[in-house]
Amino acid sequence: MSGDAVFAPGFVERPWWWEAAPPAPSPAQLPSRVAVLVVGGGIAGLSTAIELGRAGTKALVSDREASGWGASSRNGGALSGAGARGRAKTNLHEAVEARLLAEMVDEAEASFEEFEALLQREGIDCAYRRCGRFVGAHAPKALDALRRRADMLNASGRDTAEVLDRARVGEELATDRYHGGLVITRAGGLHPARYVQGLAEAARRHGATLASGVSFEGRSREGGGFRARTSAGEVEARALMVATNGYTGPATPWHRRRVVPVASYMVATEEIGEERVRALLPRLRVYGDTKKILYYFRPAPGFARILFGGRASFRDEPARHGGARLHRCLVDLLPGLAGTRITHAWKGNVAFALDMLPHVGVHDGVHFALGCNGSGVVPMPHLGRCAARMILGGGNRASAFSRLPLRTMPLYTGNPWFMPQVGNLNRQSDRLAGWRVRGQR
């Protein structure tokens, strides 16, 4: 299939998730004074507001779009604990001191349990399933990195991970492209748009005010707090929190210089029926791989179609164009989908820290939770809780992720001008490892 033939009748450039749970505007009159102003109404910001509210402190959560409009409702809906930390830029054992690494792994695993407790406590119905994750090895050498990740997870005592050789890949999915893979037990999938809607409802129940369509334009010191300038007027706040991740703008330049927004694309196939989905993805897990330009995919809730994502382009291009490219990747990976069309294509910004690890902390009096690195469903609510506890004060032990420096690099001001070159290098790396997509330029 080529050209327009890959698009089903009624194709739309919109997240498939939004069919069931479109982001809802939250118009609100901004108060002149608040205890805490949270900038960014996604998973991290809403989780901060929930934790503050549970402690009796009401927050104002502002967003220039509807709450959850960004990556929080556009992502693949896959999640795990420390298993998601295996894609750090360098070998974590070499990049992070051993004791801190052990604390990070333990904290990440505990955050998975916190996430499941949050869903139950707040009654969030988001099609969550603990189904496990399979990570495919795109080259024989990639299995070495997966073995190190398995050792790290198994040493935690909480998770269990198993490395499969090439002969066993067929147990997980109907492809011959991977040279083996890693199965992570404590992982799952959910409906991200319903998840973020549930977080928004919980934040309101705990006293937060959500204000959509409000742009944060800057701040100045005001006594022991801040005077924030917004498109809807000024607000005095005792504390200020930035949780904008892949949509961090020029009003917070220090934070903007420390996250790199990268567009990630997704498509949804037309309905092919549960029997065919199970034939292609027998374990009905969430899936990823080890390529530099990685794939992530899964059965949709209800198991009638497959959702597939990746870095279709390192330039800003329409979701339709990226969707056509992803379709070729999908059929190349799962040939059983030949002739299947796509009904939806969309994109959203992922925020990468330079070390590809999540960060929480405070700079110049402003709190932040940044760096989802493509795996924010579990880490971001945890870091939101950590940020709330830092705002509230007290004797809680500091998060291991607050002890990592959030670095920038020379000449970077927030515009990722270098991403096309990085994309080309990553693509070349994958090709040198033997990965080719038939029909892809």
Side-chain angles (χ1 to χ4, degrees), residues 40 82 106 158 207 237 252 257 312 315 396 402 416:
D106 187 66
R158 280 186 157 127
T252 54
R257 291 192 64 214
R315 302 180 185 274
N396 291 328
S402 71

Side-chain angles (χ1 to χ4, degrees), residues 30-201:
L30 262 62
S32 59
R33 292 181 179 85
V34 296
V36 181
L37 171 60
V38 178
V39 182
I43 294 172
L46 293 171
S47 299
T48 303
I50 291 170
E51 187 69 15
L52 289 170
R54 293 181 68 212
T57 298
K58 296 181 179 180
L60 168 64
V61 182
S62 70
D63 199 297
R64 62 174 176 258
E65 302 289 347
S67 292
W69 175 90
S72 294
S73 66
R74 298 168 184 262
N75 64 79
L79 56 104
S80 59
R85 301 279 68 81
R87 293 194 60 88
K89 183 177 178 181
T90 58
N91 186 338
L92 278 176
H93 295 85
E94 298 173 0
V96 179
E97 185 266 334
R99 184 172 178 178
L100 179 57
L101 174 60
E103 290 182 29
M104 287 168 52
V105 171
D106 187 66
E107 187 173 333
E109 286 297 311
S111 71
F112 185 83
E113 296 163 4
E114 291 174 1
F115 157 79
E116 291 187 323
L118 168 69
L119 296 188
Q120 183 173 16
R121 187 188 71 232
E122 302 297 343
I124 298 176
D125 179 8
C126 57
Y128 170 61
R129 289 192 313 122
R130 190 194 274 213
C131 57
R133 180 196 295 263
F134 176 80
V135 183
H138 76 291
K141 286 188 66 175
L143 278 171
D144 294 337
L146 291 181
R147 290 188 183 97
R148 288 194 296 270
R149 198 190 308 190
D151 290 343
M152 179 183 75
L153 294 174
N154 290 330
S156 74
R158 280 186 157 127
D159 210 341
T160 56
E162 179 185 8
V163 176
L164 308 183
D165 62 22
R166 187 166 196 163
R168 294 185 61 191
V169 171
E171 299 172 14
E172 297 293 332
L173 67 162
T175 188
D176 62 358
R177 297 304 312 269
Y178 294 132
H179 294 262
L182 174 69
V183 175
I184 302 171
T185 302
R186 279 162 49 97
L190 51 65
H191 191 300
R194 286 168 53 186
Y195 174 49
V196 75
Q197 280 194 358
L199 291 174
E201 292 166 3

Side-chain angles (χ1 to χ4, degrees), residues 108-408:
E109 286 297 311
S111 71
F112 185 83
E113 296 163 4
E114 291 174 1
F115 157 79
E116 291 187 323
L118 168 69
L119 296 188
Q120 183 173 16
R121 187 188 71 232
E122 302 297 343
I124 298 176
D125 179 8
C126 57
Y128 170 61
R129 289 192 313 122
R130 190 194 274 213
C131 57
R133 180 196 295 263
F134 176 80
V135 183
H138 76 291
K141 286 188 66 175
L143 278 171
D144 294 337
L146 291 181
R147 290 188 183 97
R148 288 194 296 270
R149 198 190 308 190
D151 290 343
M152 179 183 75
L153 294 174
N154 290 330
S156 74
R158 280 186 157 127
D159 210 341
T160 56
E162 179 185 8
V163 176
L164 308 183
D165 62 22
R166 187 166 196 163
R168 294 185 61 191
V169 171
E171 299 172 14
E172 297 293 332
L173 67 162
T175 188
D176 62 358
R177 297 304 312 269
Y178 294 132
H179 294 262
L182 174 69
V183 175
I184 302 171
T185 302
R186 279 162 49 97
L190 51 65
H191 191 300
R194 286 168 53 186
Y195 174 49
V196 75
Q197 280 194 358
L199 291 174
E201 292 166 3
R204 291 191 188 94
R205 282 198 306 273
H206 291 293
T209 298
L210 310 187
S212 61
V214 175
S215 298
F216 178 77
E217 298 175 347
R219 92 278 183 179
S220 58
R221 286 287 190 174
E222 183 82 10
F226 297 90
R227 179 176 292 276
R229 302 185 303 279
T230 80
S231 59
E234 294 189 345
V235 178
E236 293 181 21
R238 293 204 306 269
L240 180 62
M241 159 76 170
V242 173
T244 44
N245 275 294
Y247 297 86
T248 302
T252 54
W254 186 89
H255 306 85
R256 193 185 193 201
R257 291 192 64 214
R258 284 159 173 81
V259 291
V260 180
V262 178
S264 192
Y265 294 73
M266 285 199 76
V267 296
T269 71
E270 60 193 340
E271 290 195 5
I272 60 175
E274 182 174 346
E275 182 178 355
R276 194 171 170 197
V277 169
R278 285 182 179 273
L280 296 165
L281 307 174
R283 308 290 192 191
L284 299 178
R285 302 191 193 276
V286 294
Y287 303 82
D289 66 24
T290 57
K291 299 194 311 303
K292 295 286 187 181
I293 304 178
L294 62 87
Y295 298 156
Y296 54 96
F297 52 102
R298 56 169 293 184
F303 313 133
R305 67 178 81 214
I306 290 175
L307 309 176
F308 186 81
R311 313 280 185 259
S313 175
F314 285 87
R315 302 180 185 274
D316 187 15
E317 68 175 24
R320 182 185 183 92
H321 296 171
R325 192 171 290 114
L326 281 183
H327 181 272
R328 291 194 291 272
C329 296
L330 174 58
V331 174
D332 177 69
L333 180 68
L334 299 173
L337 285 174
T340 302
R341 299 168 297 183
I342 55 176
T343 59
H344 297 71
W346 67 98
K347 63 180 180 178
N349 286 350
V350 177
F352 283 91
L354 294 183
D355 59 6
M356 293 187 71
L357 289 168
H359 292 262
V360 62
V362 57
H363 173 75
D364 195 23
V366 178
H367 295 263
F368 62 84
L370 297 170
C372 56
N373 306 294
S375 302
V377 174
V378 169
M380 286 298 110
H382 171 68
L383 296 189
R385 286 190 293 273
C386 292
R389 292 164 188 164
M390 293 172 71
I391 292 169
L392 294 167
N396 291 328
R397 185 176 184 180
S399 165
F401 297 100
S402 71
R403 304 203 296 279
L404 297 167
L406 182 54
R407 294 190 172 96
T408 186

